[in-house]
Amino acid sequence: MNMEGPDVRDETGARLIAEARDGSEKAFRKLVERYHPMTYAVVRGALGDRWDVEDVVQEVFVKVFRGLSGFRGDAKPSTWVYTIARNEALNAARRRPPAAEPLEDAAIETPPESRPDEQYRRKAVRERLESCLSELDESYRVALELRYMGEMSYEEISEAMAVPVGTVKTIIHRAKIELKRVMLRREFVETYGKHERS
Amino acid sequence: MNCEKFEELLPLYAEDALPGEDLRAVEDHLAACGACRESLALYEELESSLVSRRALRPPAARTASAVVERLGLRGRRRSLHGWIGAPALSGAGFVLAGVGMLLFRGAVADFFAEAGGRFAVGYSHVAAEGTQGLVRAAGGSEWVLLCAYLGLFALIMLTGSWMVLKFVRE
C-alpha cells in the first residue's frame, strides 16, 4: 500500500471495494494485494511467530469479502481492513493456543555473495530479534510491524490506526528504544549466565 | 547535550529521519563519544534487521489467489439457475415466437398481406418462400427444420447468456 501523495484519503481502496462489491474478482484481488502488507503486519504484530500468520491473514480477507456489502465508507478503507485484521488476530489467539516453538518462516534470501558465517550471523541476529520482539508491549510490536513488515509510512499507519501521526511517531520511537533495552538485557543475561556456568 | 539526550535521537539518526540541526549536533557528539557510537551501531543493526524481515512476508498475489480459491470465486461451477437468466428467458421467447410463426406461417402471411402494404406482402412472400426453400434443403421434413431452428437459437442464447454473465462478473 502506498497512499502517499494524492491518495491519502485512500480513494483507490474505496473504488476497489465498490468494484469488488459489484462482483469483480479482479478488483477483489487488487484489494487483497493492496492491504496484504498491512494485514500481515497487524496479524504478525498481534500474534507473534507462534501462530500460522498467513492462515489468519487469509481468514481476514474472507471476512473482508463477506463484509463488502456492509462497508458504507464511514471509516477509511485502510481503517476498516485494519480493524477486521486486529479483531481476527485476537479471535485466533482465543481460539487456539500458540505453538510450543516459533513456526518456520519462509527462507530469507541472503545475498549470494554472503559467506556461510555471515549467513549464520544474520540468522542468529534475526532469531534474537524475533525473540526480543515477543517481549515488547503489543502496541509497540504492532506499530513496528506496520512500519517495517508492512512498509507503511507514518501517515499511512496513522490513517489505518485512526490516531494522529505524532502519536504513531512517538510509539515507534519508544518501541525502538524499548527493543534495544530488551536486546541489551538479553545480551547481559546470556553473558552473565555463561560466566555463572563456567 | 549529554549522552542521555543523544540516546533519544539515535533511533531517528539510524533511520535517516533527523532534521539538519539535530543531525549536525549528533554527528559532532558521535565523533567524540564511543558509548554513543556503540549504541548507534546497535540501532543500525536493529534497523537493518527489521527491514530484512520483510522477506518473511509471503507474496501478496499468492495470498490473493489462496483467498479467491477459499471463497470459491474462481472456477465456480454455475448452477442451472445461472444460465436461466433474463437473456435465456428472452431467448426462449424468441424460440416460441419462431415456432409459432413457422406453424402458422399461412395465417401470418395472410395477416401481413391484409394488414400491411406492399412491403409487408413482399416480406411475407419472401419469408414463406425462404421457409419453403429451407424445408426442401432439410429433405422435406419440417421437423428437421424446426430442430435446426431451435438448436441455432439455443446456441445464440447460451452464448449471449455467457457473455452477459461474464460481463457482469468482470
Side-chain angles (χ1 to χ4, degrees):
Chain A
M1 188 170 60
N2 187 3
M3 295 189 295
E4 280 176 309
D7 200 21
V8 284
R9 287 186 298 164
D10 203 5
E11 283 165 2
T12 307
R15 183 176 52 78
L16 290 174
I17 287 175
E19 288 175 12
R21 188 168 45 211
D22 290 343
S24 168
E25 181 195 319
K26 197 173 160 191
F28 181 65
R29 276 177 180 275
K30 282 188 180 169
L31 190 71
V32 174
E33 288 175 18
R34 182 176 175 80
Y35 296 113
H36 179 265
M38 179 188 77
T39 305
Y40 192 87
V42 173
V43 175
R44 177 115 191 174
L47 296 178
D49 57 357
R50 292 181 184 228
W51 269 270
D52 185 347
V53 173
E54 180 59 9
D55 188 55
V56 179
V57 168
Q58 287 181 22
E59 195 53 48
V60 169
F61 286 111
V62 168
K63 292 249 160 76
V64 165
F65 180 80
R66 290 183 181 146
L68 284 174
S69 58
F71 180 76
R72 296 275 170 262
D74 301 332
K76 290 194 176 70
S78 60
T79 313
W80 180 59
V81 177
Y82 173 87
T83 308
I84 295 174
R86 194 154 160 61
N87 290 340
E88 191 53 34
L90 297 176
N91 286 340
R94 274 195 291 268
R95 275 199 302 267
R96 53 200 160 188
E101 293 291 323
L103 298 178
E104 271 297 307
D105 283 311
I108 285 188
E109 282 181 25
T110 46
E113 67 274 13
S114 62
R115 300 190 315 269
D117 58 336
E118 175 60 14
Q119 289 179 17
Y120 178 79
R121 193 191 69 82
R122 280 170 190 260
K123 190 169 183 287
V125 167
R126 189 164 55 82
E127 281 174 359
R128 196 171 59 144
L129 178 63
E130 293 296 333
S131 171
C132 292
L133 275 170
S134 69
E135 282 193 33
L136 290 188
D137 184 78
E138 195 212 319
S139 63
Y140 284 174
R141 219 166 47 220
V142 170
L144 277 179
E145 293 288 25
L146 286 171
R147 177 83 177 132
Y148 290 94
M149 185 71 89
E151 297 179 63
M152 291 167 76
S153 67
Y154 290 117
E155 289 74 19
E156 288 171 343
I157 298 171
S158 148
E159 292 285 333
M161 295 175 84
V163 293
V165 178
T167 308
V168 173
K169 283 184 178 173
T170 306
I171 293 173
I172 291 176
H173 186 70
R174 284 184 190 155
K176 283 183 187 173
I177 292 172
E178 185 59 27
L179 186 58
K180 185 198 158 206
R181 256 187 223 132
V182 172
M183 290 189 99
L184 286 178
R185 195 175 64 227
R186 282 277 182 97
E187 212 166 83
F188 174 79
V189 169
E190 279 166 18
T191 312
Y192 183 73
K194 274 179 198 166
H195 285 304
E196 283 281 288
R197 282 193 292 275
S198 59
Chain B
M1 278 200 261
N2 56 27
C3 287
E4 208 173 296
K5 283 179 183 169
F6 278 109
E7 178 72 28
E8 281 287 312
L9 298 175
L10 289 179
L12 294 169
Y13 183 84
E15 204 188 336
D16 284 332
L18 262 189
E21 223 171 87
D22 288 337
L23 184 71
R24 266 190 305 278
V26 168
E27 281 176 345
D28 287 347
H29 179 80
L30 284 170
C33 180
C36 282
R37 278 200 301 274
E38 268 184 39
S39 189
L40 175 66
L42 190 53
Y43 278 121
E44 283 173 340
E45 178 90 52
L46 270 181
E47 196 73 22
S48 67
S49 299
L50 286 167
V51 169
S52 75
R53 287 172 72 257
R54 284 173 193 164
L56 297 174
R57 204 179 68 210
R62 200 175 76 190
T63 304
S65 293
V67 174
V68 164
E69 200 71 43
R70 207 157 153 172
L71 286 163
L73 298 180
R74 187 173 49 192
R76 180 193 283 172
R77 283 182 177 277
R78 276 188 202 94
S79 64
L80 192 59
H81 178 76
W83 292 102
I84 309 175
L89 284 173
S90 60
F94 274 111
V95 170
L96 285 173
V99 170
M101 285 175 76
L102 182 69
L103 292 176
F104 303 103
R105 57 190 175 283
V108 172
D110 289 346
F111 169 77
F112 278 113
E114 284 175 20
R118 279 185 186 173
F119 176 74
V121 173
Y123 167 75
S124 61
H125 183 69
V126 168
E129 276 201 345
T131 307
Q132 290 299 331
L134 285 171
V135 170
R136 278 195 297 279
S141 167
E142 289 186 1
W143 289 109
V144 172
L145 182 64
L146 182 62
C147 288
Y149 185 75
L150 282 172
L152 182 65
F153 260 88
L155 186 67
I156 290 169
M157 289 307 127
L158 282 176
T159 310
S161 303
W162 177 75
M163 287 175 76
V164 168
L165 286 170
K166 189 172 161 48
F167 174 76
V168 167
R169 285 188 66 187
E170 283 297 307

